[in-house]
Amino acid sequence: MRRGRTVAAMSKIINGRLTGALAVSTAVLVGIAGSVTPASAAASATPGSAGLGDRLYPLLGNGGYDVTNYNLRLNHPAKNPAQTVNGSVTISAVATQNLSRFNLDFAGNSVGSVYVNGKAATFSRSGEELVITPSAYLPKGKGFWVTVNNFTATPVSATGDAPEGFVATKDGTVLAGQPDTSHNLFPSNDHPRDKATYTIAVTVPSGWKGVASGRHLKTTTAGGYTTSVYREAKPMASELAQIVAGDFLVYNRKAVDGVQIRDVVPRRLSSQLLTKAKAERAQLTYMTKKVGKYPFENYGSLVIDADLGFALETQTLSLYDTGLFGAPAYILNPIMVHELAHQWFGDSVAPKSWSDVWQNEGHATWYELLYAADTKTFKKYTGFADPDAYFKSVYQASDMLRAEYGPVARPKGSASVWDVFNPNVYAGGALALYALKQKIGAKKFAKLEREWVRKYRGKSASTQDFIALASKVSGQNLKPFLTRWLYGTKTPAMPGHSSWKVSSASAASTTAAADAFIVPLRQHMADHH
């Protein structure tokens, strides 16, 4: 995700401060219920936790089970973007303990009924938790399925301050669920640690389009409604699911190395938006050469006529607004590469906890900058002559950023989404990668990047996983080095640049510098999350 001003605007601020539908697979469902287990196991059954204990979002996700698949159906009754929608979801999962009760994350309006293994279950609402008690306990290690019927949800307006979750636009609705709001639309285990496959069926009035993450399987029309079914067969975090419904046009481009390309734009704006999106084909070739095979079935751009204030790397279909797509190519194209890079860094390899979000944003910022340099637009984009000059400027401001927002891999808090997706996970995360490249050399760094996305493809990985792999690939014990860079409150010395100095600042000037840095991030001209 890319929020706030572009790297160019961020650079100027730093520099200025320093210088002054388908059924769930039958195979999954057959043989799940009816196994015989000892009475002692039933007696030991306990409730799953109401949260995975994430440091930044303690109640996000749920304990006691691991989801394997979502079969999600959403119905849009009328051609009205602001309408309440209804749906059903069948979630296939495996119990990780003898489970007497479990939760799903859900912040929508209402729930009709809940069934577990085909039998009616009791349920209640507690804040954003849907608490479910099955008719019989769920044995550890056994698969089960839960169906939530006739849930309802109402979108928020896209004109709000950085809207998150289920969002209404002039032309229809989209999903912007990062980091913790996909469950505003549908019940889920809403944490990137629990990735799963998805089948998504979107029903809309004829004349509208329903689009979702993954590969299009089929479209049927009956009774004045059209249902489109999509399958994301690669593991996906709930916060990255994309579901579009409205008066949109789907435009298919020529595949890139077997990867299908499709763009989704408001029908009435298609002629002006589709031309700008075509750069994604060359960008996909660029990123594949840098880090290896694209990890999903297809890719494309979703553009909405709204003022989101961010772009978002929803899986296989990156989300942008028309304000960003109105920017010149030297601004738009690096931002598009930022979101494309996330398909490897953040989508395929998801963070194990939200404190690991620098892995997403630091890497995406790195390739955004690298692309600007390789396409000879770096100075125009950032205001700096080259990446070394840019990173020297960020280095000088690094202690200020750490003081205001926390270390790179340990944001201070999550009272606002801006506290988590703060400047230090973007610029500071990229700076840590720059330091690592200086430490181990360009060849080993390039090898590490490829090995990271290969080893953890389709999984969730932690900062400690990254440190361990970096040590293995480089042949050095990098734990002390990377621990200082990622968790230290003070900025370490930069390898290869002994003359670089961190700016000293009083508490007052640090706060002022941080405020000057973050406030423009909330404004929208050519911005990205």
Side-chain angles (χ1 to χ4, degrees), residues 3 23 34 56 66-67 81-82 110 123 133 170 172 187 201 228 232 240 242 303 346 352 430 498 500 519:
R3 288 185 179 277
L56 294 171
D66 177 57
V67 177
S110 63
F123 65 92
T133 304
K170 296 176 183 178
S228 297
E232 179 47 274
L240 296 170
Q242 182 54 263
V303 188
K352 197 162 189 176
S498 58
W500 287 13
V519 170

Side-chain angles (χ1 to χ4, degrees), residues 23-33 68-70 90-94 117 142-145 197 231:
V24 176
S25 170
T26 303
V28 174
L29 299 182
V30 170
I32 291 177
T68 57
N69 185 77
Y70 290 84
T90 295
I91 300 172
S92 302
V94 176
N117 291 338
K142 298 294 184 180
F144 68 94
W145 72 95
T197 56
R231 177 65 178 169

Side-chain angles (χ1 to χ4, degrees), residues 153-444:
T154 304
V156 299
S157 171
T159 59
D161 179 22
E164 305 283 345
F166 184 34
V167 178
T169 75
K170 296 176 183 178
D171 304 282
T173 58
V174 298
L175 190 56
Q178 192 179 80
D180 63 337
T181 52
S182 281
H183 66 271
N184 288 5
L185 175 58
F186 65 95
S188 63
N189 200 25
D190 197 7
H191 193 283
R193 195 177 304 169
D194 194 2
K195 303 174 75 172
T197 56
Y198 279 73
T199 298
I200 302 172
V202 190
T203 299
V204 296
S206 294
W208 268 23
K209 282 283 188 181
V211 187
S213 295
R215 189 185 300 277
H216 177 245
L217 297 184
K218 67 176 183 176
T219 295
T220 57
T221 300
Y225 288 88
T226 298
T227 299
S228 297
V229 183
Y230 293 81
R231 177 65 178 169
E232 179 47 274
K234 307 295 185 182
M236 178 166 68
S238 52
E239 47 103 5
L240 296 170
Q242 182 54 263
I243 303 168
V244 187
D247 190 13
F248 291 93
L249 180 144
V250 179
Y251 184 80
N252 294 304
R253 300 185 188 275
K254 186 178 179 181
V256 177
D257 294 330
V259 177
Q260 297 298 314
I261 307 295
R262 48 95 188 252
D263 296 322
V264 182
V265 298
R267 186 181 305 279
R268 60 191 174 82
L269 301 175
S270 59
S271 60
Q272 65 193 74
L273 296 175
L274 288 173
T275 298
K276 289 201 166 190
K278 68 181 181 181
E280 66 205 354
R281 295 188 69 256
Q283 292 165 356
L284 183 55
T285 298
Y286 175 86
M287 279 302 303
T288 300
K289 287 180 179 178
K290 293 296 181 186
V291 295
K293 183 179 178 181
Y294 179 73
F296 303 117
E297 304 93 335
N298 55 0
Y299 186 64
S301 300
L302 164 62
V303 188
I304 59 172
D305 187 10
D307 185 9
L308 286 178
F310 60 84
L312 178 61
E313 64 277 10
T314 44
Q315 192 156 311
T316 75
L317 192 61
S318 290
L319 173 64
Y320 307 93
D321 66 20
T322 47
L324 177 56
F325 256 62
Y330 74 86
I331 291 176
L332 175 59
N333 286 349
I335 294 171
M336 289 179 68
V337 170
H338 180 109
E339 303 309 329
L340 173 59
H342 272 311
Q343 301 296 315
W344 285 265
F345 301 94
D347 291 19
S348 178
V349 184
K352 197 162 189 176
S353 74
W354 279 112
S355 295
D356 300 318
V357 71
W358 79 271
Q359 294 171 173
N360 305 20
E361 303 303 346
H363 278 99
T365 301
W366 177 265
Y367 289 102
E368 170 188 353
L369 294 167
L370 190 63
Y371 175 86
D374 288 346
T375 55
K376 307 199 183 312
T377 60
F378 193 89
K379 185 173 183 179
K380 198 172 183 180
Y381 183 52
T382 67
F384 290 91
D386 53 39
D388 282 354
Y390 171 81
F391 282 116
K392 181 179 181 180
S393 183
V394 177
Y395 183 83
Q396 289 176 295
S398 184
D399 275 4
M400 297 185 208
L401 298 177
R402 290 167 187 255
E404 181 68 10
Y405 305 109
V408 173
R410 196 172 177 84
K412 281 186 176 180
S414 58
S416 163
V417 68
W418 304 102
D419 296 329
V420 180
F421 291 87
N422 68 68
N424 205 28
V425 305
Y426 290 87
L431 181 68
L433 293 174
Y434 179 88
L436 178 59
K437 183 180 177 183
Q438 293 291 116
K439 175 76 171 177
I440 67 176
K443 287 186 177 180
K444 287 185 177 179

